[in-house]
Amino acid sequence: VAPATVMASGMQEKQYTPCLLSFFIYNPTFGPREGEEEKKILFYHPSEVEKNEKIRNVGLCEAIVQFTRTFCPTKPAKSLHTQKNRQFFFEPEDNFWIVMVVRNPMIEKPSKDGKPPTIEYQEEEILDTVYGAVVRQCYSMYKLFNGTFSRAMEAGGVELLTQKLEKFFYRYLQTLHLQFCDLLDVFAGISFFPLDKMTYLKIQSFVNRVEESLSLIKYTAFLYNDQLIWSGLEQDDMRILYKYLTTSLFPRHSEPELVGRDSPLRPEVAGNLLHYGRFLTGPTNLKDPEAKFRFPKIFVSAEDGYEELHLIVYKAMSAAACFMISASVELTRDFCEQLDSLVGPQLTLLASDICEQFTINRRTSGPEKEPQFKFIYFNHMNLAEKSTIHMRKTASVCLTSVHADLMKILGDINCDFARVDEDEEIIVKAMTDYWVVGKKSDQRELYVILNQKNANLIEVNEEVKRLCATQFNNIFFLD
């Protein structure tokens, strides 16, 4: 972790952000006898850790979980706070435990007289809710691509499960940038693209046409500009698929020349069926005689547990359509060519329509001046999320336009909201002349950061009311 240097009275202090120390998965029932402890460990990162230390760390977690059960048998331990680090426990399936150990942020202070520097751990900086959510997300993402742990056990025992865990988490853990985790990880929401009714109907009829022409397609999802417009999946499945698409798949394939350049098409182009469609999963080039027609498989919930599907992601300009087809069907070149020629031209035209609509709406809403406030909004019912605090949030980049201390206050307010069911409002004046307001009302949460030096409580309250009236005029917030 690269230290950030802070100048302090001529001496330099180094600040270190939180980072992943270890991540392991174990099942206490797999090695119940003495001498067999190693069998409990299904995955351990970093793998080069000495065997006895792995066994010791897993044993310690088992002990903590067992010990805390005596106080509260129904709610297992979630986290353990120590001076140097914090451990998070999660039992996603019976007896399968995932543990993540995060080092606390720390400050290294130089000592006088050539003594080694002193290290000060900041024990209260990490939020349990944020990193607890990160652990749950790790499991959801594994499950999206592999199904449950017990499914692997049924198919090939411990050996298959450890193989799958190795293969998946070795890569996935590299994408966890813990220093950027914040309130958005707790919500794990979906950003929806704002559309007028006409364009929305066009998209709906496009989805219906494609599903009718290609009857193999079971579910469809439609995104524009990394925001969701239409989904045929269950909410929780869409939530994790959305995270995969926006933080992993799309950033890997963003085309520099086309980003933000969907210009409305000239009619002669549309007539010629020239299109910009391409597969983001599966064959990179249909014309290649060697092209492979293998698509990633995903697992989504169904009435009797789960179903396995091929995931086809097809993109034209800034519009992306995800088509899901039962994994029992073999996908051929023929099918992909059919999909390409049917979807490509229509999706290209739709992308250009949406772009045109979006540009008109932007023009009519007037010039964008830097507002006095920034906000995060989340709706628990449809998982809708909107943030003007994050300029960009992908797996590796998180540009927030506010200081980390303010993000921490937002997280603290959110923890308070989670403790009670009633609607409430919390107003905090931060040390740095900022006001932070949290409102929870009818399954919705709104967090506002105002930069108004000399404002008082009444003025802040009025300002937030104004914001609700302009930004959320059709949403009912209790006063």
Side-chain angles (χ1 to χ4, degrees), residues 371-479:
Q372 284 267 294
F373 51 76
K374 297 192 158 68
F375 67 84
I376 291 179
Y377 164 79
F378 179 67
N379 179 340
H380 288 271
M381 289 176 286
N382 63 356
L383 306 182
E385 172 183 280
K386 189 175 179 186
S387 166
T388 60
I389 289 174
H390 297 79
M391 280 94 81
R392 257 187 73 217
K393 186 159 169 92
T394 65
S396 55
V397 183
C398 173
L399 296 172
T400 47
S401 51
V402 303
H403 195 269
D405 293 351
L406 290 172
M407 289 309 292
K408 166 109 180 6
I409 294 176
L410 294 187
D412 287 333
I413 295 177
N414 169 258
C415 292
D416 283 342
F417 284 168
R419 287 195 191 103
V420 284
D421 285 338
E422 289 86 60
D423 295 342
E424 58 176 333
E425 182 174 55
I426 295 176
I427 301 182
V428 179
K429 186 170 195 311
M431 301 288 282
T432 47
D433 293 322
Y434 280 95
W435 287 85
V436 183
V437 181
K439 259 176 169 318
K440 176 185 174 191
S441 173
D442 186 32
Q443 299 273 319
R444 298 179 177 88
E445 294 180 31
L446 174 66
Y447 301 84
V448 186
I449 295 176
L450 296 155
N451 182 9
Q452 287 175 327
K453 251 198 181 107
N454 306 319
N456 60 31
L457 201 58
I458 296 166
E459 288 161 356
V460 167
N461 204 21
E462 286 305 312
E463 189 66 39
V464 173
K465 269 189 189 158
R466 260 204 303 281
L467 163 72
C468 288
T470 54
Q471 292 278 342
F472 302 101
N473 52 1
N474 51 354
I475 292 172
F476 173 65
F477 272 112
L478 293 175
D479 281 332

Side-chain angles (χ1 to χ4, degrees), residues 213-379:
S213 316
L214 303 168
S215 53
L216 285 179
I217 295 173
K218 269 193 109 160
Y219 308 105
T220 307
F222 191 102
L223 296 92
Y224 184 84
N225 229 352
D226 288 6
Q227 292 175 295
L228 186 67
I229 293 179
W230 164 269
S231 160
L233 282 176
E234 287 285 325
Q235 234 176 22
D236 277 342
D237 293 325
M238 191 59 231
R239 172 189 238 168
I240 195 71
L241 178 61
Y242 178 79
K243 180 168 169 66
Y244 163 69
L245 294 172
T246 53
T247 61
S248 178
L249 185 69
F250 294 160
R252 280 208 307 270
H253 289 276
S254 64
E255 325 98 296
E257 72 284 358
L258 282 175
V259 170
R261 278 242 211 98
D262 297 12
S263 48
L265 291 178
R266 302 186 304 286
E268 66 271 20
V269 178
N272 288 343
L273 290 186
L274 175 78
H275 70 80
Y276 296 112
R278 61 202 182 97
F279 288 92
L280 292 196
T281 58
T284 35
N285 180 2
L286 275 180
K287 304 213 167 20
D288 177 8
E290 299 291 299
K292 297 267 189 296
F293 296 92
R294 277 205 306 271
F295 290 89
K297 294 196 176 57
I298 59 169
F299 292 81
V300 302
S301 47
E303 284 96 33
D304 50 352
Y306 56 83
E307 54 184 326
E308 194 177 351
L309 305 163
H310 293 287
L311 174 66
I312 300 177
V313 182
Y314 188 89
K315 196 170 183 188
M317 303 199 287
S318 296
C322 307
F323 302 112
M324 285 147 269
I325 292 171
S326 170
S328 54
V329 178
E330 198 176 325
L331 296 179
T332 58
R333 172 186 291 274
D334 219 22
F335 176 80
C336 292
E337 284 175 349
Q338 210 182 334
L339 186 135
D340 183 61
S341 59
L342 174 78
V343 175
Q346 294 189 39
L347 194 58
T348 305
L349 280 175
L350 263 179
S352 129
D353 273 357
I354 299 171
C355 172
E356 200 170 358
Q357 216 25 68
F358 185 56
T359 322
I360 293 169
N361 290 351
R362 254 218 308 243
R363 264 200 304 260
T364 52
S365 63
E368 294 220 342
K369 51 182 191 297
E370 178 64 23
Q372 284 267 294
F373 51 76
K374 297 192 158 68
F375 67 84
I376 291 179
Y377 164 79
F378 179 67
N379 179 340

